[in-house]
Every structure is written in structure tokens, then in C-alpha cells.
Amino acid sequence: MLEVNDRDERDAGRRKRAAIVAVWLPDVSEVDFEASVRELQRLVHTLGYDPEHVITQRRDALSAAAVIGEGKLKELGDLTGGTGHTGTTAPKRLDKARAKRAQGEEAHVPQKPKDDLEDDAEDVSEDGPKHGIDLIAVDHDISPSQARNLERATGVAVLDRTGVIVEIFHRHAKSREAKLQVEMARLRYVAPRLRESPTGKERQRGRGAGEAALELDRRKIRDRIKELEEELEHVQRKQAQRRELRRDARRVALVGYTNAGKSSLMRALTGSEVLVEDKLFATLDTTVRALQPETKPRILVSDTVGFIKKLPHDLVASFRSTLDEAREASLLLHVVDASDDGFPAQQAVTRGVLEELGVDAPEWLVLNKIDRVDAEERARLGRLYPEARLLSARDARDVAALRDAIAAFFEDAFIEREVRLGYDEQAKVARYHEELRVLGQRYEEDGIYLTVRGDQQTLESLAKG
Ligand SMILES: Nc1nc2c(ncn2[C@@H]2O[C@H](COP(=O)(O)OP(=O)(O)OP(=O)(O)O)[C@@H](O)[C@H]2O)c(=O)[nH]1
Ligand SMILES: [Mg+2]
């Protein structure tokens, strides 16, 4: 006991550590494999762990039992202080962690518990994780039984790629809508990972509070998901109404891979204070602001949630409203981080998601962070992507040029028209001034003549209304 306490005290305040497990499958190139592992390291880091160890293995397929083969599993067990094989009972602390996740609490990855040691002779190891590994992150989507087997062999909690992403979303969700969406995705992810029922041995021993929580059975989870769906529908109806009000406005959506610099560009283009962070999935909520300096008619810019390789489908589906922004935009700025070697793959992922969503607005490729790219590489990118805009969100001149290009894009589609209004229609005259550019105004006997310029949609809706 003393030893365990000592270790806990020593560990208090230390940053948590993670080990990454990745299998290099035959149909994956070396570049893609390494990029994927690096990305998972960044994800794990965003979640608050130092990804200190990377265990990789070449295999034809994932091992059905525990992802990696027996030899590697032993190696992993040595690293974590686990048995290295799957033949032991899952330690209770892992179940508690799972139960907590299912309840929507913080999924902190447990240390060796002090109170469970004596009565569980089969527990993974008597002296706890030797190297203080707190999490194993697997770069594949794995089955609940593979996760359980890995946990048995290592005595450490296991998350797969989806699990890591779901946890990050959970921590970063701020608005009511984002929170509801994440809770739903989380329940859908966690539910199949709950153990169905305790084993006979555990039943004899009697169960503590932690295990009682496990009895959150599937039916309860389904009920909760239903509740969430209803609440979400209500919130989203309101969102849709808000979008309806902006319908006539010209809209630009910033889309792209996570961390590409969408929010940075949003800030620069609109002078707004949206969150910019060197984290994956910093943005989960949509923000809409007017392009600055303001054009007439106004152009609205929206920032959206970033995409990632193998973005869990539940999460894609649940972030509908951010994606509706993209769907309803007249122009898409597809932002990529040009300083990242792996950007073509990231660009392809974003394209894939946009296609799946049926987004077909004109799309400009923005090669951002060009300040981090040397002259030679810039020239190469210029040749390779002649249509792209190479820029830095940190360079005021680049941002001003982009702003002008956006304004010109809409301006090109504007038309000029002369309209006649009655002298009793002052309110309407005012609306024309507010929503369109008025180039001239004449007072004739039969009415007020306005020469206006703007987009067809706004012109038509004003003529009707
Ligand atoms: N050097 C450099 N860094 C940039 C540039 N644009 C963005 N960054 C940095 O890149 C990181 C991510 O930027 P964000 O604007 O938060 O990226 P995002 O695309 O909104 O990311 P998510 O919201 O996570 O999808 C931050 O640390 C920014 O400061 C740029 O042009 N040059
Ligand atoms: Mg962002």
C-alpha cells in the first residue's frame, strides 16, 4: 500500500503519458503511415498526454485478439507493467473508467487504485504501471473486445482513434448545441464498450458504487440518446431560423483540415475574436461575421469545424449546422496548411467530406502558413497549384488581397438596375440603401428613381417585398 501511495504522490502534478500503437498494413504507404502516427500523437497531445512511446508492427491485418501480435503485446506489457497477455480478468478500475465515460463524466484514465489491490489476485500487476503509462492510443478503429484484451494485457486504459477524437470534442465543446452533439456521439461510442454484465465471481464479491454504474444498460443509453435528439432538434430548428434570416446574404465558408488556420483567417478577414489555438479541433462551433472593411451589400464569412482523416461518422452527422454553413455558402475557401508535408492527403480528406455532404459551391484553394515555407518550396507550390492562393493569415497585406478578391468575386455577379418607388414608400427606399449599393437617386413626377447595384437575389426579394 505504502508503495502505491508513494508513487501516487510522486506522480501528482506530472503530465500524463501515453503509448501509441499502430499497425502498418500492406495497403498503406510509408509516408501515409508515418503521417497518421504523427497525427495521432498530436491528437493525444491535444488530449493532455505526452505521447512518449510508439509501438508499431507490420502485419497483413489487425490481430483479431488484441490488434498486435503476441510478441509485441508482451513488449507493450513490459512497458506498462502489465502481464503482456490477454488471459487475465479486466481490472475493475478500467471498468470504472468506462462507466464514467458512459455517464458523460470526464474520462480520466485511472492510476493503479489503492483499494482494489488485495482482493484481486488476478489483477494485471502488483506494482502498477512501471513506466507511468496512463493511456494506450490505437491508430485504428478497434472492436470493444480488442480494446478489452489490450486493457487486460497492459492494465492501462485504451482508446482508439475515434475514442480520442470523441474525447477531444467533449472537452472543446462550448455551445449548447456542440455539447449535445458530442454527448450523443459519446454515448453511441461508449455504449457498445460497456460490459454486458458482471461475471459470477464479481457477483459473489458484491459490487461497489463504480460497478453499479456499469448497470447503465443499453436501454437507458438509448433513452438518453432519444432525449438528446429531441433537445438537439429544438436547438437546430432555432439555428435554421437564424440561417433563414441570413439567407439572402452573400456567404463565404472557411473549410478545411483541423489546424489549417481557418479561425486565424476568420479573425483576419472579419476582425472578430474567434478562438485560435495550436490544438486539433479548437473550433467546434460555427461563427458568422461580416467581411471587413464592410462591403455593400455585406458579405458574411463563416468559420467551421475542422475535418480529419477517418472523422467518425456520428460526429460528422452531428455537426450538421456547421456543415450546413458550408452547404449554403456561395463560395468556399478551402484552407490548407502549406507548411505541412502531408497537406495533399489532408486536402483530399476535406474534399471527400465536402463531396459526401453534396457541397458544390465554387471553391478556392488557400495555401496558408506560407510564411513557414521557403522560397524554393513556394515556387514549387506555385507551379503545382497555379489556381491556388498562397498566403499567410498573419500577413496583413495577404489578408487584404484575399478580402478584395472575395469582394470582387461577388461584385462580378452583381447587376445594376433602375427601380421606381412611390413617394409614399420611404421605408422601402431606406431598405434599398441599407441592403444594396445605391449609385444614384432622382426625383421625378411619377416617383423616386434609384440606380442600384447588388446581387440578383437581394434585388428580387426587395422588388417583391
Ligand atoms: N505561421 C503561421 N501560423 C499560422 C497561420 N495561420 C494559422 N496559424 C497557426 O496555426 C494554428 C491553428 O490555427 P487555427 O486558426 O486555430 O486553425 P483552425 O483551422 O481554425 O483549426 P481547428 O479549429 O482546430 O480546426 C494556430 O497556432 C495559429 O496561430 C499562418 O498563416 N502562419
Ligand atoms: Mg478553428
Side-chain angles (χ1 to χ4, degrees):
M1 281 307 282
L2 234 175
E3 199 191 338
V4 172
N5 280 329
D6 279 348
R7 191 179 58 75
D8 281 357
E9 266 162 37
R10 264 207 319 280
D11 285 352
R14 81 161 165 85
R15 225 180 119 79
K16 291 178 288 181
R17 300 191 190 106
I20 307 280
V21 170
V23 172
W24 185 1
L25 297 167
D27 58 341
V28 178
S29 75
E30 185 167 3
V31 174
D32 287 351
F33 177 67
E34 282 172 4
S36 184
V37 169
R38 253 197 331 271
E39 183 172 275
L40 184 61
Q41 284 180 298
R42 292 200 64 193
L43 285 165
V44 162
H45 189 262
T46 295
L47 199 54
Y49 295 84
D50 289 332
E52 289 197 346
H53 301 273
V54 178
I55 306 259
T56 63
Q57 184 175 37
R58 285 189 91 133
R59 288 181 67 91
D60 287 341
L62 301 188
S63 140
V67 184
I68 45 179
E70 279 174 24
K72 277 282 167 185
L73 197 58
K74 186 83 189 70
E75 202 181 300
L76 189 61
D78 287 344
L79 190 66
T80 60
T83 58
H85 56 85
T86 60
T88 49
T89 315
K92 283 192 285 183
R93 61 202 169 103
L94 297 172
D95 294 328
K96 283 180 190 169
R98 270 191 231 118
K100 276 190 164 184
R101 290 210 287 273
Q103 287 172 307
E105 284 177 32
E106 200 64 15
H108 54 199
V109 181
Q111 293 291 313
K112 190 80 186 161
K114 298 163 203 132
D115 49 349
D116 287 356
L117 276 176
E118 300 93 332
D119 77 344
D120 201 346
E122 285 177 345
D123 207 344
V124 277
S125 81
E126 291 298 318
D127 32 70
K130 285 188 188 122
H131 303 267
I133 298 289
D134 307 284
L135 173 75
I136 291 169
V138 183
D139 197 16
H140 308 272
D141 282 326
I142 61 176
S143 71
S145 84
Q146 284 171 319
R148 265 197 304 268
N149 284 336
L150 272 172
E151 287 179 347
R152 278 185 189 139
T154 59
V156 172
V158 172
L159 284 176
D160 64 6
R161 205 170 222 278
T162 303
V164 172
I165 295 173
V166 168
E167 286 308 316
I168 294 175
F169 272 55
H170 171 64
R171 295 203 188 166
H172 292 182
K174 299 225 164 50
S175 70
R176 182 83 198 118
E177 187 186 19
K179 283 188 175 145
L180 288 168
Q181 286 163 334
V182 174
E183 191 186 343
M184 219 152 79
R186 240 170 150 226
L187 284 177
R188 289 204 179 116
Y189 173 78
V190 173
R193 284 159 178 79
L194 272 179
R195 236 174 5 159
E196 275 101 34
S197 62
T199 64
K201 188 182 162 207
E202 281 160 332
R203 216 173 286 129
Q204 277 167 24
R205 272 212 311 256
R207 278 170 267 141
E211 281 179 325
L214 272 180
E215 301 199 343
L216 255 182
D217 58 68
R218 276 161 228 253
R219 191 178 52 76
K220 275 195 194 143
I221 289 176
R222 264 205 309 278
D223 288 351
R224 178 71 188 135
I225 289 178
K226 201 156 179 308
E227 235 173 71
L228 288 169
E229 270 167 359
E230 280 163 16
E231 202 175 336
L232 195 59
E233 204 179 300
H234 178 73
V235 175
Q236 285 179 338
R237 250 201 317 272
K238 279 197 184 154
Q239 286 261 2
Q241 283 165 2
R242 231 171 287 148
R243 270 205 312 280
E244 189 65 29
L245 290 176
R246 298 194 303 248
R247 221 181 141 68
D248 290 339
R250 292 123 304 274
R251 305 257 292 281
V252 184
L254 292 158
V255 295
Y257 213 73
T258 180
N259 208 245
K262 299 175 295 298
S263 299
S264 304
L265 263 182
M266 173 80 182
R267 273 187 137 173
L269 287 170
T270 66
S272 61
E273 289 294 306
V274 295
L275 178 73
V276 168
E277 259 184 306
D278 196 13
K279 274 185 180 171
L280 303 184
F281 302 113
T283 306
L284 290 185
D285 291 304
T286 306
T287 326
V288 183
R289 297 276 185 279
L291 185 70
Q292 295 291 340
E294 242 182 66
T295 53
K296 208 157 195 201
R298 273 196 319 168
I299 295 168
L300 299 181
V301 184
S302 41
D303 188 13
T304 64
V305 62
F307 301 142
I308 197 164
K309 181 171 82 97
K310 298 189 200 155
L311 187 67
H313 263 93
D314 273 343
L315 283 181
V316 178
S318 64
F319 280 81
R320 277 225 89 75
S321 65
T322 187
L323 302 169
D324 282 343
E325 290 292 339
R327 227 195 321 263
E328 291 168 15
S330 341
L331 175 64
L332 293 177
L333 299 191
H334 180 164
V335 186
V336 302
D337 176 352
S339 70
D340 188 323
D341 295 343
F343 88 76
Q346 302 181 347
Q347 186 193 346
V349 167
T350 304
R351 265 274 91 241
V353 181
L354 292 174
E355 252 157 55
E356 219 173 287
L357 292 167
V359 177
D360 62 352
E363 181 178 323
W364 291 356
L365 183 61
V366 175
L367 301 188
N368 188 34
K369 307 198 192 179
I370 210 72
D371 54 303
R372 286 168 52 174
V373 172
D374 64 28
E376 200 181 315
E377 175 66 0
R378 260 185 227 204
R380 195 185 71 87
L381 290 174
R383 281 194 303 275
L384 216 54
Y385 301 93
E387 309 281 293
R389 280 150 215 277
L390 278 61
L391 56 82
S392 165
R394 295 189 175 170
D395 183 319
R397 266 177 313 180
D398 285 358
V399 173
L402 180 62
R403 181 256 170 221
D404 292 347
I406 295 170
F409 170 85
F410 286 98
E411 186 70 38
D412 279 351
F414 287 170
I415 44 175
E416 255 177 57
R417 226 178 244 175
E418 189 171 66
V419 291
R420 180 170 61 90
L421 295 164
Y423 280 98
D424 56 347
E425 291 183 294
Q426 288 303 333
K428 203 155 177 192
V429 172
R431 279 190 65 199
Y432 270 99
H433 276 275
E434 208 169 285
E435 294 182 34
L436 295 168
R437 210 151 72 227
V438 178
L439 304 172
Q441 186 161 334
R442 286 183 290 122
Y443 297 88
E444 303 285 342
E445 247 171 61
D446 60 345
I448 308 170
Y449 284 80
L450 301 180
T451 311
V452 293
R453 186 172 170 83
D455 62 300
Q456 183 147 8
Q457 224 182 353
T458 311
L459 276 164
E460 277 171 12
S461 80
L462 277 173
K464 268 191 233 137

